[in-house]
Amino acid sequence: MTRPQITRLREAEAAPIDDTKVIDAHFKVIGRKRHFARMLWRGFVTILWAALIGFMIPPAWIAFDYLRDFFR
């Protein structure tokens, strides 16, 4: 399991421009949904590759058997 990358935030104090509104908001890093979607996608791709390999083994076995008999 990979370690999540740390996001470091810092405040910068800058002088506001005249006639501007300062918005004070709390920020929260949201990463759980993406992490779950990534795990779901990796599982799907793994199952896809396993099925592809599983379906390709019997034809490859027959082809190797045919080539072995051909060169005997």
Side-chain angles (χ1 to χ4, degrees):
M1 184 173 193
T2 60
R3 291 177 48 191
Q5 188 175 13
I6 297 173
T7 304
R8 297 186 187 270
L9 302 176
R10 63 183 157 155
E11 291 185 27
E13 292 184 23
I17 302 173
D18 293 339
D19 296 332
T20 59
K21 294 181 181 178
V22 177
I23 300 172
D24 188 17
H26 297 284
F27 294 97
K28 180 178 174 183
V29 177
I30 301 173
R32 208 63 173 145
K33 188 181 255 186
R34 287 186 179 188
H35 181 68
F36 178 71
R38 189 180 319 136
M39 283 182 11
L40 194 65
W41 178 251
R42 283 184 184 173
F44 175 73
V45 170
T46 302
I47 290 172
L48 183 70
W49 275 107
L52 182 67
I53 291 169
F55 285 126
M56 290 305 293
I57 287 175
W61 190 279
I62 292 171
F64 290 138
D65 198 28
Y66 175 76
L67 288 173
R68 184 183 59 177
D69 290 341
F70 180 74
F71 287 114
R72 276 191 180 180

